[in-house]
Amino acid sequence: WSAFVAMLEYKAARYGRTFVRIGRFEPTSQVCSQCGVKDGPKPLHVRVWECGACGAVLDRDINAAVNVAKAAGLAVSACGA
């Protein structure tokens, strides 16, 4: 895995792309992508859940992808890029 990540990093640099690493233990599937409330851990068989705060119905994988994209955007803007 580390070799794959290293290749992504140098290829991103070569082609002028931004590479952002999200923490391994970031709870991306536990945080509502609509309101930002951390709903807590869920068993892996729970694929769709409803946010207790805002009522949004979230697919676990899509929600995590949205949260990763948001985190990457925040990381880039924080660096001034």
Side-chain angles (χ1 to χ4, degrees):
W1 184 254
S2 65
F4 175 67
V5 172
M7 284 189 266
L8 287 177
E9 286 178 317
Y10 85 75
K11 287 183 183 252
R14 176 189 293 173
Y15 295 106
R17 303 289 183 178
T18 302
F19 181 85
V20 179
R21 195 181 299 215
I22 303 298
R24 177 179 174 186
F25 297 106
E26 194 69 33
T28 55
S29 65
Q30 300 173 17
V31 176
C32 175
S33 60
Q34 302 294 313
C35 69
V37 170
K38 183 176 178 185
D39 198 55
K42 293 156 204 56
L44 288 177
H45 73 273
V46 176
R47 306 312 303 164
V48 177
W49 57 279
E50 183 177 341
C51 176
C54 71
V57 177
L58 304 159
D59 176 278
R60 184 186 192 110
D61 297 329
I62 294 172
N63 182 61
V66 170
N67 285 332
V68 167
K70 284 182 180 180
L74 292 173
V76 170
S77 64
C79 295

